[in-house]
Amino acid sequence: MEDSGGPTVGSKAPEFAAPLAMPDGSVSEVTLSSLLSDGAVLLVFQPTNFELEEFAERHALGEYDWFRTDDRLEVVGVNCANPQTNQEFVDYLDVTYPFCSDRDLSIAEDYGVTYRALGVTRRARRACFFVDEEGVVQYRWVSERNHTGRPRPQVRDLYEVVTDVLGRPEPESFGFA
């Protein structure tokens, strides 16, 4: 795959501002900086499709949901849908993380994940960026446009990078330690 531009591992993640649809139905304007103020961020570029074959996305999105168990990391989906559609998407696929609305694909463009479907319509590829608290990209995965099947990053590789950067979370003692 040719390099589509955007940030590389070790470079600063591009700043952005966008509406964020939360799983509880609220919507607020966020920036990457505001998200990073609470810890590291895992940006997941994901199309919003309600087609029957997209039921497989439940499994893929659930893998990202798993990263929410670490309170030092915020998982944030990014797609071109409006906030209301993103809320419906979150409900439909039963995910627990919010989605940013990138209506004009400016975030996807800055992250180097846009392409033209059938040479006409601009879209964002599936992609994943792990950004540490300092705003530096520590992990980058961008799907190939011509890939068949369900392209997604290797969760094990992503987990290794996250634990290398953040360290292993403290085990729960349930009050017995």
Side-chain angles (χ1 to χ4, degrees), residues 24-46:
D24 68 5
S26 64
V27 176
S28 61
E29 188 77 14
V30 297
T31 62
L32 177 61
S33 298
S34 67
L35 293 169
L36 290 172
S37 68
D38 292 330
V41 175
L42 182 60
L43 293 174
V44 179
F45 288 82
Q46 181 70 38

Side-chain angles (χ1 to χ4, degrees), residues 31-148:
T31 62
L32 177 61
S33 298
S34 67
L35 293 169
L36 290 172
S37 68
D38 292 330
V41 175
L42 182 60
L43 293 174
V44 179
F45 288 82
Q46 181 70 38
T48 307
N49 296 328
F50 289 95
E51 298 168 3
L52 190 56
E53 60 268 10
E54 292 302 317
F55 278 111
E57 291 306 315
R58 289 178 192 250
H59 177 70
L61 291 172
E63 289 178 345
Y64 298 118
D65 230 5
W66 181 82
F67 284 95
R68 289 192 42 103
T69 61
D70 190 331
D71 60 3
R72 302 169 298 165
L73 177 66
E74 178 72 25
V75 179
V76 177
V78 181
N79 64 32
C80 66
N82 65 44
Q84 180 180 353
T85 301
N86 272 332
Q87 183 58 50
E88 292 169 11
F89 187 64
V90 164
D91 291 343
Y92 179 73
L93 292 178
D94 196 29
V95 295
T96 62
Y97 55 87
F99 272 81
C100 278
S101 296
D102 185 17
R103 300 291 296 152
D104 62 0
L105 293 175
S106 60
I107 301 171
E109 185 73 35
D110 288 346
Y111 280 78
V113 300
T114 57
Y115 72 100
R116 293 211 176 262
L118 304 173
V120 180
T121 306
R122 260 180 23 132
R123 294 210 171 157
R125 297 183 202 175
R126 285 179 170 81
C128 179
F129 293 84
F130 169 53
V131 182
D132 69 16
E133 293 171 318
E134 304 301 317
V136 175
V137 174
Q138 296 293 332
Y139 178 89
R140 177 184 192 262
W141 174 84
V142 180
S143 72
E144 295 186 35
R145 290 180 300 189
N146 298 327
H147 189 281
T148 58

